[in-house]
Amino acid sequence: MPVIERDLAQLAVDTALQRGATYADARIIRLQTEQLDIRNGNVNGIKQHLEVGIGIRVLVDGAWGFAANPDLKKSKVEIAVDRAIALARDSAHLYHAPVVLARRAPIVTVWKSPCQIDPFGVSLEDKLGFLFEAEEEMRRVKGIAFTEAGMDLWKEWQLFVNSDGSQIEQEIVQTGSGLSATAVSDTDVQTRSFPSSFGGQFKSAGYELIPTLNLKDNAQRVAEEAVQLLTAKACPVGEKTLILGGSQLALQVHESCGHPVEFDRVLGHEADFAGTSFLTPEKRNNFQYGSEIVNIVADATAPGGLGSFGYDDEGTPAQKSDIIKDGRFVGYLMSRETAESNEMESNGAMRAQGWNHTPIVRMSNINLLPGDWELQAMIESTEDGIMVCDNRSWSIDDKRLNFQFGGELGWEIKGGKIVGMVKNPTYTGITPQFWRSCDAIANQNHYQIWGTPNCGKGQPMQVARVGHGVSYARFQNVKVGVGYAE
């Protein structure tokens, strides 16, 4: 553990206590990122970023105060402490009740995420060469008007010190990459992506992940599908069986289960921006969220998950906890403060976007556990359905009840067989009714964790990197084909 940073963080905590705080924590963070973007055979952008700073959070008179500073001089840190103290004192009269934190034993440790190849040790030429090689395969397909390939590399080192006696150092490395092809006709525009829409696939791993994504091997198929979509028939309209997989099912879990179980949202802390939740406290252990085969966990220990870490930004150890058990709603995502307000313990869901934001309740990896179906058996037992795997659009209300999703591509199923491609597939539903109609979930053979690097929440808004483990799931009597007029 670096002595200089440790002493500086400890100074911040000790100074806060001397000036009236009943609790204090300090996080020193060094963040390095790199984004590469290739478009139509040219480098469209290379963005490299390095930042460092300290964030200090204090409890004074039962109220929170927070301040941050990118200057790690001792005098600047003391100024930040004074600002946090002043903010807490000014805010105290607005609190209905003093903040009380759930107890947490002090921890002194070092934790690092798995990483075989440091992505920042790989040459820029090698990274661009990988993208150019895959992107060129898409441009060879007749009818393609626009191609794009990108890469996202992220490494965060953090030192956390609090007044309970914790000193936690951790380093997390994440990588991701993807591509997309767009075909254009006189009347239509269609895009296909791989491995997922909105940038590709992202995991907690080093550069060793990038070759395993097989972008080049899938580039031609992706481009051909984009061209085929121009003349494909529109998604039929009506109540049908719906099979979801890949990043589309991951986003369904994210929006209709992950966000509703954030306990700060339930308590109204997020009501002015990101909304509230239909999963109110009296429903815990008393509400059938989904069918009995639906089991969803919050698992910050899941290997490869973008929401995996050793400790959250309050020093609570990463853990796995039930959210939906046998279809029943049983648990929230909680911080030390929100857990104590309901006489529970934090399950390690408090995280911040960098050193200059205060932690808020965030998802880790919200995973739909695998069932016992093979995907082929699921298709063969579907009489009239649509399968959608890659997202194109989404909308959901502030309580996370009414939603509508659109996919890049749909596969129509008739009599147990895939009979053709449909374009502009959409579906709509109400969260509990939708998940109660789930009658099949694919097994471990189809399971993987999808990374979402852009989950927005809070005001000022913070962006978190979260994950969702899913396989495939089937839902009955879903309204599909809505949203696009013929």
Side-chain angles (χ1 to χ4, degrees), residues 113-349:
S113 67
C115 174
Q116 298 174 26
I117 303 174
D118 185 344
F120 296 96
V122 178
S123 72
L124 184 60
E125 289 75 16
D126 285 349
K127 297 169 190 170
L128 292 173
F130 174 86
L131 295 176
F132 274 126
E133 192 174 24
E135 190 254 3
E136 184 180 9
E137 293 295 317
M138 296 189 292
R139 284 188 284 116
R140 289 175 176 168
V141 176
K142 186 178 180 181
I144 289 297
F146 182 80
T147 57
E148 185 171 19
M151 191 179 295
D152 180 282
L153 312 172
W154 191 89
K155 178 162 68 175
E156 181 184 273
W157 175 88
Q158 178 182 134
L159 175 64
F160 172 87
V161 173
N162 74 2
S163 56
D164 295 336
S166 288
Q167 293 183 356
I168 300 170
E169 177 187 357
Q170 60 181 337
E171 182 178 270
I172 299 174
V173 177
Q174 298 175 343
T175 59
S177 188
L179 50 77
S180 65
T182 299
V184 181
S185 70
D186 291 340
T187 58
D188 202 1
V189 177
Q190 293 290 338
T191 297
R192 285 289 290 137
S193 306
F194 180 83
S196 169
S197 49
F198 303 108
Q201 169 67 311
F202 306 83
K203 285 194 172 184
S204 181
Y207 195 78
E208 67 275 7
L209 169 73
I210 302 300
T212 69
L213 296 176
N214 297 321
L215 298 192
K216 183 181 177 182
D217 294 343
N218 288 275
Q220 179 180 337
R221 173 187 61 80
V222 167
E224 290 174 345
E225 287 178 351
V227 175
Q228 293 165 15
L229 279 169
L230 293 175
T231 54
K233 77 173 189 178
C235 178
V237 178
E239 284 197 357
K240 295 184 179 295
T241 300
L242 178 68
I243 296 177
L244 298 181
S247 59
Q248 178 56 48
L249 183 55
L251 185 62
Q252 181 72 52
V253 171
H254 178 99
E255 301 291 354
S256 66
C257 183
H259 277 306
V261 299
E262 294 166 337
F263 203 32
D264 58 344
R265 178 189 293 271
V266 176
L267 296 174
H269 300 176
E270 288 291 315
D272 61 341
F273 180 60
T276 55
S277 172
F278 74 98
L279 288 173
T280 45
E282 77 280 1
K283 290 186 174 68
R284 190 169 70 91
N285 297 321
N286 295 301
F287 183 74
Q288 197 67 29
Y289 172 92
S291 66
E292 292 183 352
I293 64 171
V294 175
N295 290 283
I296 298 177
V297 299
D299 187 1
T301 70
L306 217 57
S308 296
F309 46 81
Y311 300 84
D312 76 353
D313 289 342
E314 289 189 314
T316 302
Q319 50 199 273
K320 179 179 179 180
S321 60
D322 290 321
I323 299 297
I324 308 295
K325 181 72 172 175
D326 299 328
R328 200 158 53 105
F329 166 55
V330 297
Y332 289 111
L333 295 165
M334 295 175 292
S335 64
R336 290 179 64 182
E337 176 188 354
T338 56
E340 177 65 22
S341 69
N342 215 29
E343 299 181 341
M344 294 184 285
E345 292 187 3
S346 169
N347 52 359

